[in-house]
Each structure stands twice: as structure tokens, then as C-alpha cells.
Coordinates of all heavy atoms in Angstrom, one line a residue:
M2 N 0.9 -1.2 0.0 CA 0.0 0.0 0.0 C 0.9 1.2 0.0 O 1.8 1.3 0.8 CB -0.9 -0.1 1.2 CG -1.9 1.1 1.2 SD -3.1 1.1 2.6 CE -3.1 -0.5 3.3
F3 N 0.7 2.2 -0.9 CA 1.4 3.3 -1.0 C 0.5 4.6 -1.3 O -0.6 4.4 -1.7 CB 2.6 3.2 -2.1 CG 2.0 3.2 -3.5 CD1 1.9 4.4 -4.2 CD2 1.6 2.1 -4.1 CE1 1.5 4.5 -5.5 CE2 1.1 2.1 -5.4 CZ 1.0 3.3 -6.1
A4 N 1.1 5.7 -1.2 CA 0.5 7.0 -1.5 C 1.5 7.9 -2.2 O 2.6 7.9 -1.8 CB -0.2 7.6 -0.3
V5 N 1.0 8.8 -3.0 CA 1.8 10.0 -3.5 C 1.3 11.2 -2.8 O 0.2 11.5 -2.9 CB 1.7 10.0 -5.0 CG1 2.5 11.2 -5.5 CG2 2.2 8.7 -5.7
V6 N 2.2 11.8 -2.1 CA 1.9 13.1 -1.3 C 2.6 14.3 -1.8 O 3.7 14.1 -2.4 CB 2.1 12.9 0.2 CG1 1.2 11.8 0.8 CG2 3.6 12.6 0.5
R7 N 2.0 15.5 -1.6 CA 2.7 16.7 -2.1 C 3.0 17.5 -0.8 O 2.0 17.8 -0.1 CB 1.8 17.4 -3.0 CG 2.5 18.7 -3.5 CD 1.7 19.5 -4.6 NE 0.3 19.3 -4.6 CZ -0.4 19.3 -5.7 NH1 0.2 19.6 -6.9 NH2 -1.7 19.1 -5.7
T8 N 4.2 18.0 -0.7 CA 4.6 19.0 0.3 C 5.8 19.7 -0.1 O 6.7 19.2 -0.7 CB 4.7 18.3 1.7 OG1 5.2 19.3 2.7 CG2 5.8 17.2 1.6
G9 N 5.8 21.0 0.2 CA 7.0 21.9 -0.2 C 7.2 22.0 -1.7 O 8.4 22.1 -2.1
G10 N 6.1 21.8 -2.5 CA 6.3 21.9 -4.0 C 6.9 20.6 -4.6 O 7.2 20.7 -5.8
K11 N 7.0 19.6 -3.8 CA 7.6 18.3 -4.4 C 6.6 17.2 -4.1 O 5.8 17.3 -3.2 CB 8.9 18.1 -3.8 CG 9.9 19.1 -4.1 CD 11.3 18.8 -3.4 CE 12.3 19.9 -3.7 NZ 12.0 21.1 -2.9
Q12 N 6.7 16.1 -4.8 CA 5.9 14.9 -4.6 C 6.7 13.8 -4.2 O 7.8 13.6 -4.6 CB 5.1 14.6 -5.9 CG 4.2 15.6 -6.4 CD 3.6 15.2 -7.7 OE1 3.7 14.2 -8.2 NE2 2.8 16.2 -8.3
Y13 N 6.2 13.0 -3.3 CA 6.9 11.8 -2.7 C 6.0 10.6 -2.7 O 4.9 10.7 -2.4 CB 7.3 12.1 -1.2 CG 8.2 13.3 -1.0 CD1 7.6 14.6 -0.8 CD2 9.6 13.3 -1.1 CE1 8.4 15.8 -0.7 CE2 10.4 14.4 -1.0 CZ 9.8 15.6 -0.7 OH 10.6 16.7 -0.6
R14 N 6.6 9.4 -3.0 CA 5.9 8.2 -3.0 C 6.2 7.6 -1.6 O 7.4 7.3 -1.3 CB 6.3 7.2 -4.1 CG 5.6 5.9 -4.0 CD 6.2 5.0 -5.2 NE 5.4 3.8 -5.4 CZ 5.6 2.7 -4.7 NH1 6.5 2.6 -3.8 NH2 4.8 1.7 -5.0
V15 N 5.2 7.4 -0.8 CA 5.4 7.0 0.6 C 4.6 5.7 0.9 O 3.6 5.4 0.3 CB 5.1 8.0 1.6 CG1 6.0 9.2 1.5 CG2 3.6 8.5 1.5
A16 N 5.1 4.9 1.9 CA 4.3 3.8 2.5 C 4.5 3.9 4.0 O 5.2 4.7 4.5 CB 4.9 2.5 2.0
T17 N 3.8 3.1 4.7 CA 3.8 3.1 6.2 C 5.2 2.9 6.7 O 5.9 2.0 6.1 CB 2.8 2.1 6.8 OG1 1.5 2.4 6.2 CG2 2.7 2.2 8.3
D18 N 5.6 3.6 7.7 CA 7.0 3.4 8.4 C 8.1 4.0 7.5 O 9.3 3.8 7.9 CB 7.3 2.0 8.8 CG 6.4 1.5 9.8 OD1 5.9 2.4 10.7 OD2 6.0 0.3 9.9
D19 N 7.9 4.7 6.4 CA 8.9 5.3 5.6 C 9.4 6.6 6.3 O 8.6 7.2 7.1 CB 8.5 5.7 4.3 CG 8.4 4.5 3.2 OD1 8.9 3.5 3.7 OD2 7.9 4.7 2.1
K20 N 10.7 6.9 6.2 CA 11.2 8.2 6.7 C 11.6 9.1 5.4 O 12.3 8.6 4.6 CB 12.4 8.0 7.6 CG 12.0 7.5 8.9 CD 13.2 7.6 9.9 CE 12.8 7.1 11.2 NZ 13.9 7.0 12.2
I21 N 11.1 10.3 5.4 CA 11.4 11.2 4.3 C 11.9 12.5 4.7 O 11.5 12.9 5.9 CB 10.2 11.4 3.3 CG1 9.0 11.9 4.1 CG2 9.8 10.0 2.6 CD1 7.9 12.3 3.2
L22 N 12.8 13.1 3.9 CA 13.2 14.5 4.2 C 12.5 15.5 3.3 O 12.5 15.3 2.1 CB 14.7 14.6 3.8 CG 15.7 14.2 4.9 CD1 17.1 14.2 4.3 CD2 15.6 15.2 6.1
V23 N 11.8 16.4 3.9 CA 11.0 17.4 3.2 C 11.4 18.8 3.6 O 12.1 19.0 4.6 CB 9.5 17.2 3.4 CG1 9.0 15.9 2.9 CG2 9.1 17.4 4.9
E24 N 11.0 19.8 2.8 CA 11.2 21.2 3.2 C 10.5 21.5 4.6 O 9.5 20.9 4.8 CB 10.8 22.1 2.1 CG 11.7 22.0 0.9 CD 11.6 23.1 -0.1 OE1 11.2 24.2 0.4 OE2 11.9 23.0 -1.2
K25 N 11.0 22.5 5.3 CA 10.6 22.8 6.6 C 9.1 22.8 6.8 O 8.4 23.6 6.1 CB 11.3 24.0 7.1 CG 11.0 24.3 8.6 CD 11.9 25.4 9.1 CE 11.6 25.9 10.5 NZ 11.2 25.0 11.4
I26 N 8.6 22.1 7.7 CA 7.2 22.2 8.2 C 7.2 22.6 9.7 O 8.0 22.1 10.5 CB 6.6 20.8 8.1 CG1 6.5 20.3 6.7 CG2 5.2 20.9 8.7 CD1 5.9 19.0 6.5
D27 N 6.5 23.6 10.0 CA 6.4 24.1 11.4 C 5.9 23.0 12.3 O 4.9 22.4 12.0 CB 5.6 25.4 11.5 CG 6.2 26.6 10.8 OD1 7.5 26.6 10.6 OD2 5.5 27.4 10.4
G28 N 6.6 22.9 13.5 CA 6.2 22.0 14.5 C 7.3 21.4 15.3 O 8.4 21.4 14.8
E29 N 7.1 20.9 16.4 CA 8.1 20.3 17.3 C 8.2 18.8 17.0 O 7.3 18.2 16.4 CB 7.7 20.5 18.7 CG 7.6 21.9 19.2 CD 9.0 22.6 19.2 OE1 10.0 21.9 19.6 OE2 9.1 23.8 18.8
A30 N 9.3 18.2 17.4 CA 9.4 16.7 17.3 C 8.3 16.0 18.0 O 8.0 16.4 19.1 CB 10.8 16.3 17.7
G31 N 7.7 15.0 17.4 CA 6.6 14.3 18.0 C 5.2 14.8 17.6 O 4.3 14.1 17.9
T32 N 5.2 15.9 16.9 CA 3.9 16.4 16.4 C 3.5 15.6 15.2 O 4.2 15.3 14.4 CB 4.0 17.9 16.0 OG1 4.6 18.6 17.1 CG2 2.7 18.5 15.7
S33 N 2.1 15.4 15.1 CA 1.6 14.7 14.0 C 1.1 15.7 13.0 O 0.5 16.8 13.3 CB 0.4 13.8 14.5 OG -0.1 13.1 13.4
V34 N 1.3 15.4 11.7 CA 0.8 16.3 10.6 C 0.1 15.5 9.5 O 0.3 14.3 9.4 CB 2.0 17.0 9.9 CG1 2.7 18.0 10.9 CG2 3.1 16.1 9.4
Q35 N -0.8 16.2 8.9 CA -1.6 15.6 7.8 C -1.0 16.1 6.5 O -0.8 17.3 6.3 CB -3.1 16.0 7.9 CG -4.0 15.2 7.2 CD -4.4 13.9 7.9 OE1 -3.9 13.6 9.0 NE2 -5.2 13.1 7.3
L36 N -0.7 15.2 5.5 CA -0.1 15.5 4.3 C -1.2 15.5 3.1 O -2.1 14.7 3.2 CB 1.0 14.6 3.9 CG 2.2 14.6 4.9 CD1 3.2 13.6 4.5 CD2 2.8 16.0 5.0
E37 N -1.0 16.4 2.2 CA -1.9 16.4 1.0 C -1.7 15.2 0.1 O -0.6 15.0 -0.4 CB -1.7 17.7 0.2 CG -2.6 17.8 -1.0 CD -2.2 19.0 -1.8 OE1 -1.4 19.9 -1.4 OE2 -2.8 19.2 -2.9
T38 N -2.7 14.4 -0.1 CA -2.6 13.1 -0.9 C -3.1 13.3 -2.3 O -4.2 13.9 -2.5 CB -3.5 12.0 -0.2 OG1 -3.1 11.9 1.1 CG2 -3.2 10.7 -0.9
L39 N -2.3 12.9 -3.3 CA -2.7 13.0 -4.7 C -3.1 11.7 -5.2 O -4.2 11.7 -5.9 CB -1.4 13.4 -5.5 CG -0.8 14.7 -5.1 CD1 0.5 15.0 -6.0 CD2 -1.7 15.9 -5.3
M40 N -2.5 10.6 -4.8 CA -2.9 9.3 -5.3 C -2.7 8.3 -4.2 O -2.0 8.4 -3.3 CB -1.9 8.9 -6.4 CG -2.4 8.9 -7.8 SD -1.2 8.6 -9.1 CE -0.2 7.3 -8.4
F41 N -3.5 7.2 -4.4 CA -3.4 6.1 -3.4 C -3.4 4.8 -4.1 O -4.3 4.6 -5.0 CB -4.6 6.2 -2.4 CG -4.7 5.2 -1.4 CD1 -3.9 5.1 -0.3 CD2 -5.7 4.2 -1.5 CE1 -4.0 4.1 0.6 CE2 -5.9 3.2 -0.5 CZ -5.0 3.1 0.5
G42 N -2.5 3.9 -3.8 CA -2.4 2.6 -4.5 C -2.4 1.4 -3.6 O -1.7 1.5 -2.5
D43 N -3.2 0.4 -3.9 CA -3.2 -0.9 -3.2 C -3.5 -2.0 -4.1 O -4.5 -2.0 -4.8 CB -4.4 -0.7 -2.1 CG -4.4 -1.8 -1.2 OD1 -3.3 -2.6 -1.0 OD2 -5.4 -2.1 -0.5
A44 N -2.6 -3.0 -4.1 CA -2.7 -4.2 -4.9 C -3.1 -3.9 -6.4 O -4.0 -4.5 -7.0 CB -3.8 -5.1 -4.3
G45 N -2.4 -3.0 -7.0 CA -2.6 -2.7 -8.4 C -3.7 -1.7 -8.7 O -3.8 -1.3 -9.8
A46 N -4.5 -1.4 -7.8 CA -5.6 -0.5 -8.0 C -5.2 0.9 -7.6 O -4.7 1.1 -6.4 CB -6.9 -0.9 -7.3
I47 N -5.3 1.9 -8.4 CA -4.9 3.3 -8.1 C -6.1 4.1 -8.0 O -6.9 4.2 -8.9 CB -3.9 3.8 -9.1 CG1 -2.6 3.0 -9.0 CG2 -3.6 5.3 -8.8 CD1 -1.6 3.4 -10.0
T48 N -6.3 4.8 -6.9 CA -7.5 5.7 -6.7 C -7.0 7.1 -6.2 O -5.8 7.2 -5.8 CB -8.4 5.1 -5.6 OG1 -7.8 4.9 -4.4 CG2 -9.0 3.8 -6.1
T49 N -7.9 8.0 -6.2 CA -7.6 9.3 -5.6 C -8.2 9.4 -4.2 O -9.1 8.6 -3.9 CB -8.1 10.4 -6.5 OG1 -9.5 10.3 -6.6 CG2 -7.5 10.5 -7.9
G50 N -7.7 10.4 -3.5 CA -8.2 10.5 -2.1 C -7.4 9.7 -1.1 O -6.2 9.4 -1.3
G51 N -8.0 9.4 0.0 CA -7.2 8.8 1.1 C -6.6 9.8 1.9 O -6.6 11.0 1.6
S52 N -5.9 9.4 3.0 CA -5.3 10.4 3.9 C -3.9 9.8 4.4 O -3.7 8.5 4.5 CB -6.1 10.8 5.1 OG -6.2 9.6 5.9
V53 N -2.9 10.6 4.5 CA -1.6 10.2 5.0 C -1.3 11.0 6.2 O -1.4 12.3 6.2 CB -0.6 10.4 4.0 CG1 0.8 10.2 4.5 CG2 -0.8 9.5 2.7
T54 N -0.9 10.3 7.3 CA -0.5 11.0 8.6 C 0.9 10.7 8.8 O 1.4 9.6 8.6 CB -1.3 10.4 9.8 OG1 -2.7 10.6 9.4 CG2 -1.0 11.2 11.0
A55 N 1.7 11.7 9.2 CA 3.2 11.6 9.5 C 3.4 12.2 10.8 O 2.8 13.1 11.3 CB 3.9 12.2 8.4
E56 N 4.5 11.8 11.4 CA 5.0 12.4 12.6 C 6.3 13.1 12.4 O 7.2 12.5 11.7 CB 5.2 11.2 13.7 CG 5.7 11.7 15.0 CD 6.0 10.5 15.9 OE1 5.5 9.5 15.7 OE2 6.8 10.7 16.9
I57 N 6.5 14.2 13.0 CA 7.8 15.0 12.9 C 8.8 14.3 13.8 O 8.6 14.2 15.0 CB 7.6 16.4 13.2 CG1 6.7 17.1 12.2 CG2 9.0 17.2 13.2 CD1 6.4 18.6 12.5
V58 N 9.9 13.8 13.1 CA 11.0 13.1 13.9 C 12.0 14.2 14.4 O 12.4 14.2 15.5 CB 11.7 12.1 13.1 CG1 12.8 11.4 13.8 CG2 10.7 11.0 12.6
A59 N 12.4 15.1 13.5 CA 13.4 16.1 13.8 C 13.4 17.3 12.8 O 12.9 17.1 11.7 CB 14.8 15.5 13.8
Q60 N 13.9 18.4 13.2 CA 14.1 19.6 12.4 C 15.6 19.7 12.2 O 16.4 19.6 13.1 CB 13.6 20.9 13.0 CG 12.2 20.9 13.4 CD 11.2 21.0 12.2 OE1 11.6 21.1 11.1 NE2 9.9 21.1 12.5
T61 N 16.1 19.6 10.9 CA 17.5 19.6 10.6 C 17.8 20.6 9.5 O 16.9 21.2 9.0 CB 17.9 18.2 10.3 OG1 19.3 18.1 10.1 CG2 17.2 17.7 9.0
K62 N 19.1 20.6 9.1 CA 19.6 21.4 8.0 C 20.2 20.5 7.0 O 20.9 19.5 7.3 CB 20.6 22.5 8.4 CG 19.9 23.6 9.2 CD 21.0 24.7 9.4 CE 20.3 25.9 10.2 NZ 21.3 26.9 10.4
G63 N 20.1 20.8 5.7 CA 20.8 20.0 4.6 C 22.2 20.5 4.5 O 22.8 21.2 5.3
D64 N 22.9 19.8 3.5 CA 24.3 20.1 3.3 C 24.5 21.5 2.8 O 23.6 22.1 2.2 CB 24.8 19.1 2.2 CG 24.9 17.7 2.7 OD1 24.9 17.5 3.9 OD2 24.8 16.8 1.8
K65 N 25.6 22.0 3.0 CA 25.9 23.4 2.6 C 26.1 23.5 1.1 O 26.9 22.6 0.5 CB 27.1 24.0 3.3 CG 27.5 25.4 2.9 CD 28.5 26.0 3.8 CE 27.8 26.8 4.8 NZ 28.7 27.8 5.5
V66 N 25.5 24.4 0.4 CA 25.6 24.7 -1.0 C 26.5 25.9 -1.1 O 26.1 27.0 -0.6 CB 24.3 24.8 -1.7 CG1 24.5 25.1 -3.2 CG2 23.5 23.5 -1.5
I67 N 27.6 25.9 -1.8 CA 28.4 27.0 -2.0 C 28.0 27.8 -3.3 O 27.9 27.1 -4.3 CB 29.9 26.7 -2.1 CG1 30.3 25.9 -0.8 CG2 30.8 27.9 -2.3 CD1 30.2 26.7 0.4
I68 N 27.8 29.1 -3.2 CA 27.5 29.9 -4.4 C 28.8 30.8 -4.6 O 29.1 31.6 -3.7 CB 26.3 30.8 -4.1 CG1 25.0 29.9 -3.9 CG2 26.1 31.7 -5.3 CD1 24.7 29.7 -2.5
F69 N 29.4 30.6 -5.8 CA 30.6 31.3 -6.0 C 30.4 32.1 -7.4 O 30.1 31.5 -8.4 CB 31.8 30.5 -6.2 CG 33.1 31.2 -6.4 CD1 33.7 31.9 -5.3 CD2 33.7 31.2 -7.6 CE1 34.9 32.5 -5.5 CE2 34.9 31.9 -7.8 CZ 35.5 32.6 -6.7
K70 N 30.6 33.4 -7.3 CA 30.4 34.3 -8.5 C 31.7 34.9 -8.8 O 32.4 35.4 -7.9 CB 29.4 35.4 -8.2 CG 28.0 34.9 -7.9 CD 27.1 36.1 -7.6 CE 25.7 35.5 -7.2 NZ 24.8 36.7 -7.0
K71 N 32.1 35.0 -10.1 CA 33.3 35.5 -10.5 C 33.1 36.2 -11.9 O 32.5 35.6 -12.7 CB 34.4 34.5 -10.6 CG 35.8 35.1 -11.1 CD 36.8 34.0 -11.2 CE 38.0 34.6 -11.7 NZ 39.1 33.7 -12.0
R72 N 33.8 37.4 -12.1 CA 33.8 38.0 -13.3 C 35.3 38.2 -13.7 O 36.1 38.7 -13.0 CB 33.2 39.4 -13.3 CG 31.7 39.3 -13.0 CD 31.0 40.6 -13.5 NE 29.5 40.4 -13.1 CZ 28.8 41.3 -12.6 NH1 29.3 42.5 -12.3 NH2 27.5 41.1 -12.4
R73 N 35.7 37.7 -14.9 CA 37.0 37.7 -15.3 C 37.6 39.1 -15.4 O 36.9 40.0 -15.9 CB 37.2 37.0 -16.6 CG 36.8 35.6 -16.7 CD 37.1 34.9 -17.9 NE 36.7 35.5 -19.2 CZ 37.1 35.3 -20.4 NH1 38.0 34.3 -20.5 NH2 36.6 35.9 -21.4
R74 N 38.8 39.2 -15.0 CA 39.6 40.5 -15.2 C 39.0 41.7 -14.5 O 39.3 42.8 -14.9 CB 39.7 40.8 -16.8 CG 40.5 39.6 -17.4 CD 40.7 40.0 -18.9 NE 39.5 40.0 -19.7 CZ 38.9 38.9 -20.3 NH1 39.5 37.8 -20.1 NH2 37.9 39.0 -21.0
H75 N 38.1 41.6 -13.6 CA 37.5 42.7 -12.9 C 37.7 42.6 -11.4 O 37.2 43.4 -10.6 CB 36.0 42.8 -13.2 CG 35.7 43.2 -14.6 ND1 35.7 44.5 -15.0 CD2 35.3 42.5 -15.6 CE1 35.4 44.6 -16.3 NE2 35.2 43.3 -16.7
N76 N 38.5 41.6 -10.9 CA 38.8 41.4 -9.5 C 37.4 41.3 -8.7 O 37.3 41.8 -7.7 CB 39.6 42.6 -8.9 CG 40.2 42.2 -7.6 OD1 40.4 41.0 -7.3 ND2 40.5 43.2 -6.7
Y77 N 36.5 40.6 -9.3 CA 35.1 40.5 -8.7 C 35.0 39.0 -8.4 O 34.9 38.1 -9.2 CB 34.0 40.9 -9.7 CG 32.6 40.6 -9.2 CD1 32.0 41.7 -8.5 CD2 32.0 39.5 -9.5 CE1 30.7 41.5 -8.1 CE2 30.6 39.3 -9.1 CZ 30.0 40.3 -8.4 OH 28.7 40.1 -7.9
R78 N 34.9 38.7 -7.0 CA 34.7 37.3 -6.5 C 33.8 37.4 -5.3 O 34.0 38.2 -4.4 CB 36.0 36.7 -6.1 CG 36.9 36.3 -7.4 CD 38.2 35.7 -6.9 NE 39.1 36.6 -6.3 CZ 39.9 37.4 -6.8 NH1 40.0 37.5 -8.2 NH2 40.7 38.2 -6.2
R79 N 32.8 36.6 -5.3 CA 31.8 36.6 -4.2 C 31.6 35.2 -3.8 O 31.3 34.3 -4.7 CB 30.4 37.2 -4.5 CG 30.5 38.7 -5.0 CD 30.9 39.6 -3.8 NE 30.9 41.0 -4.3 CZ 32.0 41.6 -4.6 NH1 33.2 41.0 -4.7 NH2 32.0 42.9 -5.0
K80 N 31.7 34.9 -2.5 CA 31.4 33.5 -2.1 C 30.3 33.5 -1.0 O 30.5 34.2 0.0 CB 32.7 32.8 -1.5 CG 32.5 31.5 -1.0 CD 33.9 30.9 -0.6 CE 33.7 29.5 -0.1 NZ 34.9 28.9 0.6
N81 N 29.3 32.7 -1.2 CA 28.2 32.6 -0.2 C 27.9 31.1 0.1 O 28.2 30.3 -0.8 CB 26.9 33.3 -0.7 CG 26.9 34.8 -0.4 OD1 27.2 35.2 0.7 ND2 26.4 35.6 -1.3
G82 N 27.3 30.9 1.2 CA 26.9 29.5 1.5 C 25.4 29.5 1.9 O 24.9 30.5 2.4
H83 N 24.7 28.4 1.7 CA 23.4 28.2 2.1 C 23.1 26.8 2.6 O 23.6 25.9 2.0 CB 22.4 28.5 0.9 CG 21.0 28.3 1.2 ND1 20.3 29.2 1.9 CD2 20.2 27.3 0.8 CE1 19.0 28.7 2.0 NE2 19.0 27.5 1.3
R84 N 22.4 26.7 3.7 CA 21.9 25.4 4.2 C 20.4 25.4 4.3 O 19.8 26.2 5.1 CB 22.5 25.1 5.6 CG 24.0 24.9 5.4 CD 24.6 24.5 6.8 NE 24.2 23.1 7.1 CZ 24.4 22.6 8.3 NH1 25.0 23.2 9.2 NH2 24.0 21.3 8.5
Q85 N 19.7 24.6 3.5 CA 18.3 24.5 3.5 C 17.8 23.9 4.8 O 18.3 22.9 5.3 CB 17.8 23.7 2.3 CG 16.3 23.7 2.1 CD 15.8 25.1 1.7 OE1 16.4 25.7 1.0 NE2 14.6 25.3 2.1
Q86 N 16.7 24.4 5.3 CA 16.1 23.9 6.5 C 15.2 22.8 6.1 O 14.4 22.9 5.2 CB 15.3 25.0 7.3 CG 16.3 25.9 7.9 CD 15.5 26.9 8.9 OE1 14.3 27.0 8.9 NE2 16.3 27.6 9.7
L87 N 15.3 21.6 6.8 CA 14.6 20.4 6.4 C 13.8 19.9 7.6 O 14.2 20.1 8.8 CB 15.5 19.3 5.8 CG 16.3 19.7 4.6 CD1 17.3 18.7 4.3 CD2 15.4 19.9 3.4
T88 N 12.8 19.0 7.4 CA 12.1 18.3 8.4 C 12.1 16.8 8.1 O 11.9 16.4 6.9 CB 10.6 18.7 8.4 OG1 10.6 20.2 8.7 CG2 9.8 18.0 9.5
V89 N 12.4 16.0 9.0 CA 12.4 14.5 8.9 C 11.0 14.0 9.3 O 10.6 14.3 10.5 CB 13.5 13.9 9.7 CG1 13.5 12.3 9.5 CG2 14.9 14.4 9.4
L90 N 10.3 13.4 8.4 CA 9.0 12.8 8.7 C 9.0 11.3 8.7 O 9.6 10.7 7.9 CB 8.0 13.3 7.7 CG 7.7 14.8 7.6 CD1 6.7 15.1 6.5 CD2 7.1 15.3 8.9
K91 N 8.3 10.8 9.7 CA 8.0 9.3 9.7 C 6.5 9.1 9.3 O 5.7 9.6 10.0 CB 8.4 8.7 11.0 CG 8.2 7.2 11.0 CD 8.6 6.5 12.3 CE 8.5 5.0 12.1 NZ 8.0 4.3 13.2
I92 N 6.3 8.4 8.3 CA 4.9 8.1 7.9 C 4.3 7.1 8.9 O 4.8 6.0 9.0 CB 4.8 7.6 6.4 CG1 5.6 8.5 5.5 CG2 3.4 7.4 6.0 CD1 5.1 9.9 5.4
T93 N 3.2 7.5 9.5 CA 2.6 6.6 10.5 C 1.4 5.8 9.9 O 1.2 4.7 10.3 CB 2.1 7.4 11.7 OG1 1.3 8.5 11.3 CG2 3.3 8.0 12.5
S94 N 0.6 6.5 9.0 CA -0.5 5.7 8.4 C -0.8 6.2 7.1 O -0.7 7.4 6.7 CB -1.7 5.9 9.3 OG -2.3 7.1 9.2
V95 N -1.1 5.2 6.2 CA -1.5 5.5 4.8 C -2.8 4.8 4.6 O -3.0 3.6 4.8 CB -0.5 4.9 3.8 CG1 -0.9 5.0 2.4 CG2 0.9 5.5 3.9
G96 N -3.8 5.5 4.2 CA -5.1 4.9 4.0 C -6.1 6.0 4.0 O -6.9 6.5 3.6

């Protein structure tokens, strides 16, 4: 049994007890959240609807992405870094 959910502008295929990294969702660890369900599949039959419940495991940050800009022959160099805030979700129920 699986479902396709949408959160943070991305879609994820999930099943019960899966752990997924998604863009930041407000809430503390242990909080339960409801995810928007696009599709629901069971034994070859695909339907719309259903509900997916997940539990927030942790709030974390992704790997650092370095942004380096340079213009030749103008002594122009800029270096920035960015770490995306992420949420670890554990899928508790699909159905």
C-alpha cells in the first residue's frame, strides 16, 4: 500500500513506516501532521483520495551549498553559502 503526497512543492511516494526529508514544516518533534494526498495505490488499483498521517521526527539542515560568483579580469569574486532547513517525517498511516 502506497500513496503519493505533495509537500513543499515536491511529490513523494510513501508507504507506512517510511522516513522522508521534506522542506521545513512548522512543528516540534513528536507532532503529528496531515499531508496532502494526490494518489493512493493498493494491490494494483490506483485511486484518488485517502489520507496520510506523518510524525515529525526532527528539524534539521541540509548540506551546505556554495555559491561562487566571478567576473574575469575585474577582481570580482563573491562566495556565499546556504543550508536549507529540512524536516524529517516518519509516515505513521497510509489509507
Side-chain angles (χ1 to χ4, degrees):
M2 186 173 343
F3 72 92
V5 176
V6 296
R7 178 175 29 210
T8 179
K11 298 176 184 74
Q12 296 177 4
Y13 301 91
R14 182 183 189 271
V15 296
T17 305
D18 295 330
D19 282 353
K20 284 189 180 178
I21 58 174
L22 272 173
V23 299
E24 292 198 20
K25 186 168 174 36
I26 298 175
D27 291 333
E29 299 292 321
T32 306
S33 186
V34 293
Q35 200 77 6
L36 299 176
E37 179 184 354
T38 306
L39 300 176
M40 253 174 40
F41 176 71
D43 186 22
I47 295 177
T48 59
T49 58
S52 65
V53 174
T54 307
E56 178 185 341
I57 296 176
V58 176
Q60 302 285 3
T61 184
K62 287 186 177 181
D64 294 335
K65 181 169 264 197
V66 177
I67 302 297
I68 297 98
F69 185 75
K70 299 177 181 180
K71 180 182 178 187
R72 294 199 182 139
R73 301 190 306 168
R74 299 183 293 272
H75 291 279
N76 195 26
Y77 176 89
R78 289 181 291 276
R79 302 291 183 264
K80 182 179 176 185
N81 274 320
H83 174 74
R84 292 184 71 188
Q85 185 70 34
Q86 293 187 347
L87 302 171
T88 300
V89 181
L90 293 179
K91 181 176 188 223
I92 307 300
T93 54
S94 71
V95 174

